[in-house]
Amino acid sequence: MSLTVSGVSRSFGGVEAAQDVSLQVDPGRIVGLIGPNGAGKTTLVNLITGVLRIDRGTVSVDGEDVTAKTIVGVARAGVSRTFQNVRLLTDSTVLENVTLGLAQQEHSSFLDCMLGLPAAQRDRRAVRDKAMQILADVGMVEYAHRIASGLAYGHQRRVEIARAIAVKPKYILLDEPVAGMNDVEAGEMIQLFKSFAERGIGILLIEHNMRFVNALCEQIYVLNTGRIIADGTPAEISQSPDVIAAYLGT
Amino acid sequence: MINFFYAYQPLIDFFLLNAGFALSQYIVLRAGVFSIATVGIVSIGAYSAAIVMKSLGLSIWIAAPFSALVGLAVGLLLSVPLARLRGPYQAIATLAFVQIVAAVALYAEPLTGGALGMNDIPKQVSTLGLVFALAFVLYILGSLSRSRIGAIFDALRQDEAVAGSLGISISFHHALAFALSGAIAGLFGALQAGYIYSIEPHQYGFVMLTMTLAAVILGGRRSIWGPVVGAAIMTFLPEIARPLAENRLLLNGLLLVVVIIFLPRGVVDGLIALVRRRRTSAVTWPAESSKEVRT
Ligand SMILES: Nc1ncnc2c1ncn2[C@@H]1O[C@H](COP(=O)(O)OP(=O)(O)OP(=O)(O)O)[C@@H](O)[C@H]1O
Ligand SMILES: [Mg+2]
């Protein structure tokens, strides 16, 4: 039982954006993925989630091979994500953004929806209630009826996290989730992500803020020019000569 | 009041038909599909209804649902090759479809009457019938709008990769939009055939295509009332502007440009957004600006 990436490679023309990358995220664990700008962190998330095609290697979710699956297929296998450059439905409200994450959990049939039957209406009400709970978890209830594009950047990130968690994922990939947040807000996110892990969700956390990563992760992978150059506990990582070289530039 | 109605009845009927065509165009655009196949399917619906009414002597009560089914099937078939295309490529491919349909109508003379079209189609459609059909379509689209399907269509229009990352099937919902659009187009094609006595290929050409598209752009792509209001403007404005004679088309064009500049979401959706903004006036509200913050 884990999200397992083994030997994944992908090149763009001459650029090897991922070279033989292997890593594992277990349920209920928060695993860090760090590396300098352009290291290939976002590319790896796109490879795992089926946004980009994988040249070599495999990705599996709790034993199910999802290497060749589409975005939708990987999502349905239980992998959710947030985007480095927040992608909310900018024309929709905060609540609508989060209910979208719950749409797959509705049970009413297409006929119920088409004829506006009570089953469809019940579903919508239930989903809205659930979305409000999730918004409460991320501290965004009072913004529920605001248009998403009008929110401050940090608030938009919270909405995106709420939407990603609404799908009840087994694993969630967070691409720099606290970028643009102040220390207080980031502190709240520490509590939030710990609560996700306590619920058994495995988290892959991409982040440049090392204090934040050290506060959450027992295990960290370091990516540089598409390769994993080190992995281990925060203490081990900070001592690794390769990592120091990668960050300081040799 | 009664006199007024009789004087304008044909115009009202044309509005009801145009509203149906616009709703067919609307539902694909709402789901983020840039198909302009509506006119082609309206044509197929009109011809299939005319053929079964004339040669089999069936009534419009059978012909209209039959055409709706034909339209649905055509919409579904179109969705297969179009699933791999996006944006302008979908528009071009469906434009080609409209032209193929027109060519077939022109050359399949034994069936369609060729360039002369089909005449003496029994007139069985009344204003009331059109109102009933439009109300029926609006009821279904309104129910869908309030359900998850409407929410999913709105999401697909704004960012389909995000919808996909939440496990929502993009191809299924696009096919659904095509099927709905096709069924509505087929239905209203049949109603038109059962209303105007005669149909010919050139009716289903560029003029109808721009009319239908402009109705949705003027009215809006989100609320179901957008295309209805848009169709009303496109139908009644030329009448009101009758004194302008040849310059009426100019007025149409001007109106379209003004709306696109000042109410880019269309009249109905634009006004809804304005009202929402009033209600939450304390909120910072940069229009569609989250892109600016993106890194
Ligand atoms: N679709 C693509 N086509 C070509 N090159 C790409 C593509 N996607 C990523 N790359 C390249 O892959 C490399 C890794 O980029 P990526 O965005 O994954 O880095 P990152 O570690 O997320 O950086 P940052 O910390 O700045 O977010 C870069 O050199 C980038 O130019
Ligand atoms: Mg990145």
Side-chain angles (χ1 to χ4, degrees), chain A residues 76 87 90-91 93 108 115, chain B residues 139 148 158-159 167 265 290:
Chain A
R76 289 186 177 178
R87 281 167 80 167
T90 51
D91 251 3
T93 64
S108 53
L115 300 177
Chain B
Y139 176 75
R148 66 171 178 277
Q158 294 181 59
D159 193 335
R265 296 181 173 116
S290 78

Side-chain angles (χ1 to χ4, degrees), chain B residues 129-141:
Chain B
L130 291 174
V131 169
F132 177 74
L134 189 66
F136 173 73
V137 168
L138 282 171
Y139 176 75
I140 294 213
L141 292 183

Side-chain angles (χ1 to χ4, degrees), chain A residues 41-42 84 175-176:
Chain A
K41 305 181 294 293
T42 300
Q84 182 171 357
D175 198 349
E176 304 195 18

Side-chain angles (χ1 to χ4, degrees), chain B residues 107-160:
Chain B
Y107 294 112
E109 220 177 309
L111 205 58
T112 64
L116 294 177
M118 298 180 72
N119 300 305
D120 304 321
I121 305 163
K123 180 170 160 94
Q124 295 182 352
V125 176
S126 62
T127 305
L128 200 65
L130 291 174
V131 169
F132 177 74
L134 189 66
F136 173 73
V137 168
L138 282 171
Y139 176 75
I140 294 213
L141 292 183
S143 304
L144 281 175
S145 287
R146 282 185 300 276
S147 76
R148 66 171 178 277
I149 309 278
I152 289 172
F153 282 178
D154 288 336
L156 290 178
R157 184 183 67 248
Q158 294 181 59
D159 193 335
E160 63 176 48

Side-chain angles (χ1 to χ4, degrees), chain A residues 17-250:
Chain A
Q19 295 182 61
D20 200 22
V21 174
S22 298
L23 59 79
Q24 182 174 329
V25 182
D26 290 324
R29 287 305 181 84
I30 307 178
V31 174
L33 179 64
I34 64 170
N37 292 115
K41 305 181 294 293
T42 300
T43 303
L44 185 63
V45 170
N46 286 333
L47 288 167
I48 295 172
T49 52
V51 175
L52 294 171
R53 189 178 39 77
I54 292 172
D55 285 341
R56 278 186 313 282
T58 58
V59 178
S60 66
V61 178
D62 293 351
E64 181 191 359
D65 185 359
V66 300
T67 313
K69 288 215 155 122
T70 60
I71 302 178
V72 180
V74 178
R76 289 186 177 178
V79 181
S80 184
R81 72 172 292 184
T82 62
F83 296 86
Q84 182 171 357
N85 49 352
V86 183
R87 281 167 80 167
L88 294 178
L89 306 180
T90 51
D91 251 3
S92 301
T93 64
V94 166
L95 184 63
E96 284 163 347
N97 267 282
V98 180
T99 49
L100 186 68
L102 294 159
Q104 286 298 108
Q105 292 160 43
E106 293 188 29
H107 303 297
S108 53
S109 70
F110 177 65
L111 206 66
D112 290 327
C113 293
M114 203 169 90
L115 300 177
L117 296 183
Q121 294 169 14
R122 261 200 310 276
D123 259 351
R124 280 277 99 179
R125 268 196 306 275
V127 154
R128 254 175 232 134
D129 291 347
K130 225 187 271 178
M132 288 306 270
Q133 270 169 28
I134 298 170
L135 282 173
D137 291 345
V138 301
M140 288 294 293
V141 167
E142 66 261 51
Y143 298 90
H145 299 289
R146 301 273 182 95
I147 295 289
S149 59
L151 298 179
Y153 203 46
H155 286 162
Q156 293 195 18
R157 286 212 177 277
R158 289 176 189 232
V159 176
E160 202 185 40
I161 292 164
R163 184 177 69 188
I165 210 72
V167 303
K168 286 201 186 154
K170 295 179 190 155
Y171 303 94
I172 184 167
L173 317 177
L174 301 168
D175 198 349
E176 304 195 18
V178 297
M181 287 189 190
N182 62 36
D183 284 352
V184 178
E185 288 180 300
E188 287 170 17
M189 291 302 110
I190 290 182
Q191 293 313 312
L192 185 67
F193 297 161
K194 278 187 175 158
S195 77
F196 292 167
E198 277 159 20
R199 280 191 253 159
I201 299 169
I203 302 177
L204 184 68
L205 174 71
I206 297 175
E207 192 45 61
H208 284 295
N209 179 340
M210 282 312 293
R211 263 202 306 156
F212 189 79
V213 176
N214 291 340
L216 275 170
C217 307
E218 290 150 47
Q219 198 194 3
I220 299 171
Y221 290 91
V222 186
L223 200 63
N224 189 29
T225 60
R227 275 176 198 284
I228 301 278
I229 54 167
D231 74 270
T233 63
E236 288 164 1
I237 292 295
S238 62
Q239 244 102 80
S240 157
D242 281 345
V243 175
I244 295 163
Y247 271 94
L248 298 180
T250 40

